[in-house]
């Protein structure tokens, strides 16, 4: 058994328990990448500051003046402010997203290219717990501690060109230029592609730099690979698997195993004659602040695993393994 085998078991268990749809026979590197994608596509419930663009304020103003008593208008306007309150409070807002977030193989070009989620602005719930398809959508960028409400627009059809309208990023740039600046290619002008061109490229899973104010802007979340999956999530999956294989090699060394056994004995723990190691979710451990600090320290071999919410334990004792670079080098 290897740590990669443990990772496969952990992810499949999480997906099964969470009711997600996935292909259990997919290769491990794809399974890990899809798991990362699900974590990005879902919005984690933490308190956020909410920022409205000028365009959202203008749209809601027009809606209020044109159809104050219409049920659709009331739902749209009321849900925008309800979402604002929920995000500020750190509540779960995933019910307002597409049901596609429950499918590990789901495709989300809007997110990987423009960094945007889209929220349904209705008040009725479906049996599965999601908000019913609404007449309007809120397009928003959700950051770790902030939410940026970009625009409210009619719900496009599935293959509509409205999913790729470049003026969505133009709105972001005009209201919060710092969100775009980091993705600009300095000294390069944008290609000036029309929305129709971007639409054709996206349907074939090709990436393109968007022209904003004469400057080329790369996809905000890294774009897509040829199969439509997230480039960034695929890269992170490859790095994680490489890190786990490195851990397997390190923990197979006799000197390292002897050092781990001595450390366990110093804690009054007896692992027996044969050490066994297992990968677990960090949240499953009774972690103290000191342990978390040790696992995420720059000198810790497992710091990147810990930052991804994982830890290696000695299986019989359940004790987390904290191995430092200097100890590994001496071994």
């Amino acid at each position: 058994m290897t740590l990669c085998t443990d990772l496969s078991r952990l992810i499949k268990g999480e997906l099964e328990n969470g009711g997600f749809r996935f292909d259990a026979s997919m290769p491990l590197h794809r399974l890990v990448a899809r798991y990362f994608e699900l974590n990005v596509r879902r919005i984690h419930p933490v308190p956020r500051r909410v920022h409205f663009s000028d365009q959202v304020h203008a749209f809601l103003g027009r809606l209020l003046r044109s159809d104050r008593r219409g049920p659709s208008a009331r739902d749209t306007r009321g849900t925008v402010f309800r979402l604002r309150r929920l995000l500020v409070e750190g509540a779960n807002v995933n019910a307002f997203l597409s049901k596609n977030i429950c499918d590990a193989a789901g495709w989300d070009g809007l997110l990987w290219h423009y960094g945007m989620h889209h929220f349904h602005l209705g008040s009725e719930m479906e049996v599965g717990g999601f908000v019913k398809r609404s007449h309007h959508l809120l397009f928003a960028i959700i950051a770790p501690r902030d939410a940026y409400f970009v625009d409210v627009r009619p719900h496009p059809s599935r293959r509509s060109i409205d999913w790729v309208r470049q003026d969505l990023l133009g709105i972001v740039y005009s209201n919060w230029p710092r969100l775009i600046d980091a993705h600009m290619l300095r000294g390069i002008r944008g290609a000036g592609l029309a929305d129709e061109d971007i639409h054709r490229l996206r349907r074939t899973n090709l990436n393109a730099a968007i022209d904003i104010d004469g400057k080329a802007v790369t996809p905000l979340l890294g774009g897509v690979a040829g199969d439509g999956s997230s480039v960034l999530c695929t890269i992170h999956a490859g790095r994680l698997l490489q890190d786990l294989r490195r851990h397997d090699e390190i923990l197979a060394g006799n000197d390292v195993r002897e050092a781990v056994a001595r450390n366990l004995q110093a804690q009054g723990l007896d692992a027996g004659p044969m050490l066994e190691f297992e990968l677990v979710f960090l949240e499953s451990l009774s972690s103290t602040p000191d342990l978390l600090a040790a696992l995420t320290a720059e000198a810790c071999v497992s710091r990147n695993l810990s930052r991804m919410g994982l830890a290696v334990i000695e299986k019989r004792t359940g004790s987390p393994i904290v191995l430092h670079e200097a100890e590994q080098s001496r071994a």
Side-chain angles (χ1 to χ4, degrees):
M1 301 294 287
T2 67
L3 297 180
C4 288
T5 304
D6 292 338
L7 179 64
S8 176
R9 172 180 50 78
L10 287 173
I11 290 178
K12 288 178 180 179
E14 281 280 292
L15 297 180
E16 289 171 356
N17 292 336
F20 296 101
R21 297 184 296 276
F22 71 102
D23 179 2
S25 67
M26 73 174 73
L28 181 57
H29 70 279
R30 291 301 323 132
L31 177 68
V32 178
R34 294 297 190 183
Y35 176 71
F36 285 162
E37 288 180 16
L38 284 173
N39 280 310
V40 177
R41 288 160 59 201
R42 290 178 293 157
I43 297 172
H44 297 278
V46 297
R48 292 176 169 89
R49 298 181 294 270
V50 177
H51 313 270
F52 283 68
S53 72
D54 294 338
Q55 286 75 10
V56 171
H57 282 303
F59 177 87
L60 294 179
R62 291 194 303 271
L63 197 65
L64 188 63
R65 292 189 298 270
S66 65
D67 191 7
R68 180 177 300 183
R69 298 181 181 179
S72 176
R74 287 198 302 270
D75 280 353
T76 297
R77 188 175 187 278
T79 306
V80 168
F81 287 99
R82 182 184 176 194
L83 280 167
R84 176 189 179 278
R85 176 176 56 80
L86 292 173
L87 287 164
V88 168
E89 294 174 351
N92 193 323
V93 296
N94 289 313
F96 295 87
L97 300 177
S98 168
K99 290 181 288 186
N100 194 35
I101 64 170
C102 292
D103 186 352
W107 185 86
D108 200 335
L110 180 72
L111 183 59
W112 307 133
H113 287 277
Y114 289 179
M116 292 185 193
H117 286 84
H118 62 280
F119 296 87
H120 291 93
L121 299 177
S123 59
E124 294 185 53
M125 305 293 290
E126 294 184 333
V127 176
F130 284 87
V131 171
K132 285 187 176 180
R133 180 186 174 97
S134 62
H135 182 67
H136 287 100
L137 294 178
L138 169 67
F139 293 83
I141 292 178
I142 307 299
R145 291 293 181 268
D146 293 270
Y148 302 88
F149 286 8
V150 178
D151 204 4
V152 177
R153 300 186 176 188
H155 194 311
S157 60
R158 184 182 178 191
R159 295 181 177 272
S160 171
I161 195 173
D162 292 324
W163 291 110
V164 306
R165 295 294 184 190
Q166 297 170 80
D167 64 333
L168 283 168
L169 286 184
I171 292 173
V172 177
Y173 187 59
S174 64
N175 286 271
W176 311 287
R178 66 186 181 281
L179 298 181
I180 300 294
D181 284 341
H183 304 279
M184 282 189 171
L185 299 174
R186 305 300 174 185
I188 299 177
R189 294 187 61 83
L193 297 174
D195 288 342
E196 290 78 8
D197 300 320
I198 299 296
H199 187 242
R200 284 193 292 271
L201 291 172
R202 189 175 296 182
R203 295 314 307 174
T204 53
N205 294 326
L206 292 175
N207 302 307
I210 302 298
D211 184 294
I212 297 181
D213 197 25
K215 304 177 182 68
V217 178
T218 59
L220 268 62
L221 280 187
V224 296
D227 63 354
S229 60
S230 161
V231 168
L232 289 181
C233 290
T234 300
I235 291 173
H236 288 316
R239 289 174 177 170
L240 173 56
L241 294 177
Q242 183 179 19
D243 201 7
L244 291 178
R245 287 190 285 268
R246 175 171 174 255
H247 274 71
D248 278 328
E249 292 175 2
I250 292 172
L251 294 170
N254 289 332
D255 290 342
V256 169
R257 297 175 73 87
E258 290 173 2
V260 170
R262 287 194 299 270
N263 184 49
L264 291 173
Q265 289 170 1
Q267 300 176 59
L269 301 172
D270 181 13
M274 294 293 293
L275 295 178
E276 290 186 68
F277 300 104
E278 181 180 21
L279 188 71
V280 299
F281 285 122
L282 189 56
E283 64 182 15
S284 70
L285 303 177
S286 299
S287 302
T288 64
D290 287 343
L291 175 61
L292 290 175
L295 287 171
T296 56
E298 286 300 318
C300 182
V301 172
S302 302
R303 61 188 177 276
N304 291 328
L305 292 185
S306 302
R307 292 165 186 171
M308 288 188 176
L310 298 164
V312 178
I313 64 170
E314 198 288 314
K315 192 171 183 179
R316 181 173 176 180
T317 63
S319 179
I321 302 303
V322 181
L323 184 67
H324 293 93
E325 295 283 2
E327 294 170 329
Q328 188 261 321
S329 298
R330 287 197 300 269

